[in-house]
Amino acid sequence: EIASRLYNDDWGITGISLEPRWYQKVGDSLLMRFRYRYYDQSGSDYSGRFAASEKYMTQDSDLAEFDSHTFGMRLIGYRDGRQGWDAGIDYVMRSDELDHIIASFGYLWTF
């Protein structure tokens, strides 16, 4: 499966992403998902404004221009169709050197 997105907002940010994913079933109750995500973003109209006298100001690095590459894996476990769990890890490499690792764990309980 391949997902993509084009984004534009009134702050002047334009972003585009492309995310191919591959799913592999393991047994009857476990699913593995591998993914790669490329993301490219322009800077906000306000990203360079830091003076206190400005009406709009930010030092948020996510409003600046950057691109990123994400590599991730997720395990998804199912029980009886009403309960399940997932655990994942992603490694994100950004052009602005704000690389990071994201770990997640979730539990699903349908009632």
Side-chain angles (χ1 to χ4, degrees):
E1 141 181 330
I2 297 178
S4 63
R5 182 179 84 146
L6 177 61
Y7 172 83
N8 187 287
D9 65 21
D10 58 356
W11 279 41
I13 294 177
T14 300
I16 186 167
S17 67
L18 181 64
E19 182 177 338
R21 303 173 192 152
W22 179 58
Y23 292 87
Q24 178 65 48
K25 194 169 184 179
V26 180
D28 292 333
S29 61
L30 187 62
L31 185 64
M32 294 173 60
R33 184 200 75 188
F34 298 93
R35 77 174 183 138
Y36 166 77
R37 180 178 185 249
Y38 173 74
Y39 179 69
D40 185 60
Q41 172 181 297
S42 67
S44 163
D45 293 341
Y46 310 110
S47 64
R49 299 183 179 178
F50 301 113
S53 63
E54 293 288 338
K55 181 177 179 181
Y56 301 105
M57 57 186 169
T58 184
Q59 292 183 7
D60 186 345
S61 61
D62 285 348
L63 297 179
E65 181 177 348
F66 73 93
D67 63 73
S68 68
H69 302 271
T70 302
F71 301 90
M73 183 190 138
R74 179 169 303 278
L75 295 173
I76 305 162
Y78 298 98
R79 290 182 126 180
D80 57 9
R82 294 179 49 106
Q83 296 181 34
W85 59 270
D86 68 84
I89 191 158
D90 289 307
Y91 178 60
V92 182
M93 298 182 306
R94 290 176 45 146
S95 61
D96 57 5
E97 299 182 1
L98 294 175
D99 300 354
H100 51 280
I101 296 172
I102 303 168
S104 64
F105 180 78
Y107 183 76
L108 171 68
W109 177 33
T110 305
F111 55 94

